[in-house]
Amino acid sequence: MPETTTKPHTKVKPQTERPKLYKVILINDDFTPREFVVTVLKGEFKLSEDQAHRIMITAHRRGACVVAVFTRDVAETKATRATDAGKAKGYPLLFTTEPEE
């Protein structure tokens, strides 16, 4: 019987890198009513009444507060939609995004 040598087949699985995450940040202002901020947080970010109120109060006291963390496109979309909701009512409500460390 002839000798046969077999080479092991190794499959290389490509390592996919996790997408970078971005924080959505609520910036405090002195003109947007607190109730409206809570309404936007509940509507756009699907937060409970209690969670939205805590985030609004934290932003009020500290000047800014992280609302949530998403992939870049989701974070930018949500921040833009929330900011636009304030503009539509004539308020200077502002949400920004920044990379998470």
Side-chain angles (χ1 to χ4, degrees):
M1 195 151 135
E3 283 188 37
T4 58
T5 58
T6 59
K7 292 182 181 178
H9 293 287
T10 57
K11 289 187 177 182
V12 178
K13 291 184 180 180
Q15 292 290 337
T16 55
E17 190 174 309
R18 292 186 143 216
K20 300 233 186 293
L21 297 176
Y22 283 73
K23 299 182 277 192
V24 177
I25 301 168
L26 167 62
I27 307 297
N28 183 55
D29 67 76
D30 295 329
F31 303 102
T32 307
R34 292 178 178 189
E35 299 79 26
F36 182 74
V37 175
V38 170
T39 301
V40 170
L41 289 169
K42 286 170 48 181
E44 187 60 44
F45 297 95
K46 309 297 185 232
L47 299 175
S48 70
E49 180 84 25
D50 188 51
Q51 290 170 321
H53 189 264
R54 273 190 270 128
I55 288 171
M56 179 273 301
I57 289 295
T58 302
H60 179 71
R61 290 182 179 154
R62 296 187 178 176
C65 182
V66 174
V67 177
V69 179
F70 302 102
T71 57
R72 183 178 186 174
D73 58 334
V74 173
E76 288 176 352
T77 299
K78 286 189 175 285
T80 300
R81 288 176 55 178
T83 299
D84 290 347
K87 285 182 184 175
K89 294 286 188 176
Y91 300 126
L93 182 63
L94 179 62
F95 289 82
T96 62
T97 60
E98 70 179 42
E100 187 178 49
E101 288 93 38

